[in-house]
Amino acid sequence: MTASRIKTLVAGAAALGLALILSACISVFPKAKPSGMYRFGTTAPTASKGPPGALFGVLKAPTVFTRPAAGDRILTTSPGGEAAYVAGARWIAPASVQFDEALSRAFDGDPGRARLIGRGEVAKAQMVLRLEVRTFEATYGGDPKAAPEVVVQVRGVLSRTGDRALVGDQVFEAKVRAADNRVGAIVAAFDQANAKVIGDIVGWINAAGAGLPAE
């Protein structure tokens, strides 16, 4: 058998093997049930503009997010301290990313004085905001079949940029009972609790800026 004939047979065998592998993948993967993708942050917080006056800039430091809930999996907890993720459901983007996006939209849509500014506009910032998302989970009670309560807790620290003086340090919390023990209802509760906390944070910052001089 010639060398060229051997090469032809080897190439044909390799192609056949690859075809078998691909056919196996095609027959297996479509049978897997895809995870449901969900988002929160669609509910607009209640606007609370605070005292009138000129706009002031707020520079937000990177949000510190509780690690178990920061990703794209929906965290649940039980009274015994057991933590688990909702099976077959994921956030469309990491929870930490969606939280920051919802916060930015809240400031953009709020009629108050406070405005978030970008990292390249540090000179325009009169305040620095630091947020720590401590709790972002659905909590089940004694009955695992009952609808859980979504808890969102965030600590906010606000300081002036000029003298770094502390303006405020406050914990914001919202608890919303899901309408049912279904993923859709649980996601809706996350959305409502998140909107309540973010709305309170925006209102708090607007009120804190009452004593700031005009730019």
Side-chain angles (χ1 to χ4, degrees):
M1 184 178 293
T2 64
S4 60
R5 178 58 176 167
I6 293 174
K7 290 182 180 179
T8 301
L9 291 175
V10 170
L16 177 60
L18 178 60
L20 290 174
I21 293 173
L22 291 176
S23 65
C25 292
I26 292 172
S27 65
V28 172
F29 285 106
K31 293 180 181 179
K33 185 178 180 181
S35 296
M37 305 295 285
Y38 299 89
R39 70 171 76 243
F40 62 87
T42 57
T43 298
T46 302
S48 178
K49 64 179 183 179
L55 299 179
F56 64 91
V58 179
L59 177 66
K60 189 185 78 62
T63 301
V64 177
F65 212 101
T66 174
R67 184 175 297 181
D72 64 352
R73 305 184 73 181
I74 304 175
L75 179 65
T76 70
T77 57
S78 63
E82 181 181 359
Y85 294 107
V86 177
R90 292 181 180 272
W91 297 122
I92 198 169
S96 57
V97 173
Q98 292 195 76
F99 177 87
D100 280 343
E101 290 176 346
L103 182 69
S104 295
R105 287 194 297 269
F107 273 99
D108 290 342
D110 190 83
R113 298 175 57 203
R115 287 291 177 268
L116 288 185
I117 63 174
R119 302 292 296 182
E121 302 175 288
V122 176
K124 298 180 181 179
Q126 292 174 278
M127 288 191 180
V128 176
L129 172 66
R130 292 177 173 81
L131 296 177
E132 176 189 356
V133 181
R134 294 176 167 179
T135 307
F136 199 85
E137 61 195 37
T139 303
Y140 282 88
D143 183 2
K145 295 183 179 180
E149 182 178 57
V150 170
V151 181
V152 176
Q153 186 186 90
V154 180
R155 179 193 177 195
V157 178
L158 196 62
S159 58
R160 289 198 298 262
T161 55
D163 55 8
R164 298 184 180 180
L166 179 66
V167 177
D169 187 337
Q170 188 167 330
V171 175
F172 304 87
E173 185 177 78
K175 296 180 178 181
V176 177
R177 178 75 59 182
D180 195 3
N181 191 23
R182 295 179 297 103
V183 178
I186 294 171
V187 168
F190 269 104
D191 188 49
Q192 295 170 32
N194 188 71
K196 175 65 169 59
V197 166
I198 286 181
D200 289 346
I201 291 172
V202 173
W204 171 62
I205 295 172
N206 276 313
L212 289 175
E215 293 186 7

